[in-house]
């Protein structure tokens, strides 16, 4: 089971690059703007690329507004990964 948190709760840690952050938006969305420390792993590629992730880490998953990240968290949690959903996503980001 994973938890969901608002961006405001983790924003300072993200800015300090203390979290493993994955943005599951598609590459074209990511290119239009993203959190600087985020790794882009599109939801459409998640099944095949999930083997790139480490089951020992906790990943913070985001998308634009929280829907796709919740789907990604459902899948990753079922695969044994430790994940946290950023429920309001990039739309709530207040940074560069």
């Amino acid at each position: 089971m994973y938890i969901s948190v608002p961006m405001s709760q983790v924003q300072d840690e993200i800015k300090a690059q203390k979290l493993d952050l994955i943005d599951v938006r598609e590459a074209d969305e990511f290119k239009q703007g993203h959190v600087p420390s985020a790794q882009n792993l599109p939801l459409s590629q998640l099944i095949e690329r999930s083997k790139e992730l480490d089951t020992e880490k906790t990943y913070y998953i985001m998308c634009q507004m929280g829907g796709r990240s919740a789907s990604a968290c459902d899948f990753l949690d079922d695969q044994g990964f430790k994940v946290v959903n950023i429920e309001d996503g990039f739309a709530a980001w207040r940074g560069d």
Side-chain angles (χ1 to χ4, degrees), residues 47-92:
I47 292 173
E48 61 201 37
R49 292 188 56 201
S50 63
K51 56 186 145 257
E52 298 172 18
L53 304 177
D54 183 347
T55 56
E56 297 301 312
K57 292 183 177 183
T58 298
Y59 293 100
Y60 287 74
I61 311 297
M62 66 180 290
C63 62
Q64 185 64 32
M65 300 196 57
R68 287 177 283 180
S69 59
S71 295
C73 285
D74 286 337
F75 170 75
L76 291 170
D77 183 59
D78 286 347
Q79 302 303 306
F81 292 98
K82 295 175 262 185
V83 291
V84 176
N85 181 38
I86 299 178
E87 62 192 12
D88 47 4
F90 184 68

Side-chain angles (χ1 to χ4, degrees), residues 2-85:
Y2 66 89
I3 62 167
S4 293
V5 298
M7 177 65 81
S8 61
Q9 185 176 324
V10 293
Q11 183 148 339
D12 289 339
E13 291 177 89
I14 291 171
K15 285 181 179 179
Q17 298 183 5
K18 294 182 179 178
L19 303 178
D20 288 305
L21 181 64
I22 296 176
D23 188 326
V24 295
R25 295 177 300 153
E26 294 303 312
D28 59 328
E29 295 173 278
F30 187 79
K31 287 177 187 171
Q32 291 175 10
H34 60 272
V35 175
S37 61
Q39 169 189 350
N40 186 219
L41 181 55
L43 185 60
S44 63
Q45 299 173 17
L46 190 60
I47 292 173
E48 61 201 37
R49 292 188 56 201
S50 63
K51 56 186 145 257
E52 298 172 18
L53 304 177
D54 183 347
T55 56
E56 297 301 312
K57 292 183 177 183
T58 298
Y59 293 100
Y60 287 74
I61 311 297
M62 66 180 290
C63 62
Q64 185 64 32
M65 300 196 57
R68 287 177 283 180
S69 59
S71 295
C73 285
D74 286 337
F75 170 75
L76 291 170
D77 183 59
D78 286 347
Q79 302 303 306
F81 292 98
K82 295 175 262 185
V83 291
V84 176
N85 181 38

